[in-house]
Every structure is written in C-alpha cells, then in structure tokens.
Amino acid sequence: MKLKPSELTAWWDRVKIKVDHMIEADWTEAPHVSAAGKYDQIKVDQWISGFWPGILWILYDMTGEQRYREEAEPWDERMEQCYLRDNHFHHDVGFQFLPTSVIRYKLTGDPDARRRGLFAANYLAGRYNPAGQFIRAWPRNQTGWSIIDSMMNLPLLFWASEESDDPRFKHIAVAHADMVLRSFIRGDGSVHHIVIFDPETGEVERYDGGQGFGPQSSWSRGQAWALYGMSCAYRYTGEARYLNAAKGVAHYFISALAEDDVPHWDFRAATDLTDEPRDTSAASCAASGLIDIASQVAPEEAAIYQRAATRILRSLSNNYSALDKPEYEGILLGATGHKPVNTNINVSLIYGDYYYIEALAKSKGWSQHVF
C-alpha cells in the first residue's frame, strides 16, 4: 500500500512552499531546532549542518530549479573551512558531507565536492579502533565509546571505497557494521544507544542509555538509525546478514509503534507510555529506511515495510505537521531531541524535516541514494 497520488502531491506542494519560505530566512549558520516557529542557528561544524542543504539538494534534483542548487552550494564550502581550526567534527561527518558534498558531486560532477567527500571519509576512517573494530564517537575523552548513530555514517565510507577504488574504506565500514551486529542489536531487534569498549583490548565494558531512557531501553531514534543504516550496508555489500538485521530491527520498530504509528521517544521509557513525548524525527527516519528496505526485499515481503512507511508518513502529514502553517519554520512538530536532560522536547528538528522530505521524495519515485 503506497500513498495515494493525490495526497502525496498535496503534501509535496506544501513542502515546497515551506522550503521556499525557509530559504527567505537566509541562515548563515545551521538550523537545528524550531521551538516556536523560528529555527535557531548553530555552528556549521555541528553534526546537523548537512540536513538543511540536503533538503535543498533533494528539491533541486526533484524539480530542476537552479535556485535550490544555488542556495545549497555554499554550505559544504563553509563546512570544509572548519577543518582548518578547532572544530566539532566527529563520527557524524557522514551526516554532514553525504547530503552536501557527495550528493552535489553525484548531481553536478563538481570535482571539489568529490574532494570534500573523500576528505571527510578519510577523517571518519581515522576514527576506527581496530582492537574493538568500532568507529569512535564524539571528539571528547570517550575514547572507547561507540553509538548506533554511526550506522548512518557508514555510507560515506562505502561511497569513498567505490569512488577511490580503495577497499580500505569498505573494510572499515564492514568491520564496524559487524561489530554493531554483535554488540548493539539485541535478539529481539531492540538496540543499545551507546556501547563502551576498553579502547586498548576492544572488550565491551558496559552500556550507556545516552539519549534513551537507560542502558537496556529502546530509544526510538536509535532504532530508526539501525534499521536504515543496516539497509544501507546491505545495499553497498549485498551481504544478507545486514538485510536480515535491518528487517529484524524494523519488525521490532513496527510492532512497538503507538496506535497512530508515530513512536514515543523510547519504547521502554515506561510501562504506560501514554504521557511520554513522541519523536517525529524517529518516525520520519524510520519511514525513509522502511522504504529503503521494501526496495531491497522480495516482492512478497516488500508490502510489509511499504505499508508501515505509508502509515507513518500519513500520520506525520495529517497529525504532526505544520504544512498548513506556511510561515512556521519547520515541517514536523512533536520531535524529541534529548529527553533524559529535558532538551528540545515537542519541537521541530531539522533532521526530522530532512528525512520526511526524503521519504516523500522516495514515494514520488526519487531513487538517488544519499545515505
């Protein structure tokens, strides 16, 4: 079951109106959170900086309108300059340079965009710890920490391996993905957010709840990162173990959804989740990943994932969007950033908006893989 053409067209047309309005904000730094209808701005070396230009590149590819390209092009150029000074780059450079430099190169053939993408891949590969076979998270002193979000950054390494004809990037990505299979994904399809290794021996020391409720909980956005990221790993390698993992996490995610098909921020935050906040960013990321899975499984299986994605997108559009508020900066309402520290609750988040637009574009036939 796919979205009806009429509803898809209506939502897509309103998304364009939204994006056109957001362009008028003329941001010089990266939009992150919209709590009252205006996106704030944070430095372009922060992990979310690729999502706004990523939206613009999708619109450019879908419409052919040069104004979207012109708005998108300066962003990765500014991001690159951050390498020349102290910065906050870490394991999430894939989130930053895949929807900017890499998609720019794929769409335009820009050699500088290619160079930026390969530079970011080199940086990401440099964070690999061979003792534990993991990519280290964050630029602080957590030398043994790895997080599930990293699965969404592996496509940068897979792309770099193909683009440079250098298998080392792929070897690192495969080793990390296999570590995630062993150490992050539980037997029931739920996922840890943070696994902490001894950086010298590579042994697992403990688990941390991170942005989830606790070490053994099930943070819904982490589930979305895992199902989408494993699907990406399968697309690049053809290894069935990754597709099976993506399906297992997806089945858990789908079964744990609330009645309206939008997840609470953590599936195990409470026995009764009624009063727990939702996370529409987890929903939009999962919807895009489910469409990805549906495109890679046998036809008799595909409907399982496509139906779930359709239900999620329909609920987001009808119940959790600001599509009927053209002046509001932000598309999805009801996102949760970091509930354990009560930061960014019931807001719009730029990555939630990005994956919503990406999922709608895929529903309209867009087949350009960013991740």
Side-chain angles (χ1 to χ4, degrees), residues 124-136 143-144 172 175-176 197-202:
L124 183 59
R127 301 185 65 83
Y128 179 68
N129 182 319
Q133 298 182 306
F134 67 89
I135 293 172
R136 174 193 168 188
T143 54
I172 290 172
H176 182 87
F197 298 86
D198 181 321
E200 291 289 346
T201 68

Side-chain angles (χ1 to χ4, degrees), residues 57-71:
W57 281 116
I58 292 174
L59 268 290
Y60 167 69
D61 196 29
M62 291 289 288
T63 68
E65 296 181 26
Q66 289 295 314
R67 60 198 178 95
Y68 295 121
R69 174 177 174 174
E70 291 168 1
E71 290 291 333

Side-chain angles (χ1 to χ4, degrees), residues 81-103:
Q81 295 303 308
C82 297
Y83 280 117
L84 304 178
R85 56 182 183 268
D86 287 341
N87 59 64
H88 290 88
F89 289 135
H90 47 65
H91 63 275
D92 277 338
V93 289
F95 278 134
Q96 294 170 286
F97 288 92
L98 282 165
T100 56
S101 297
V102 174
I103 189 66

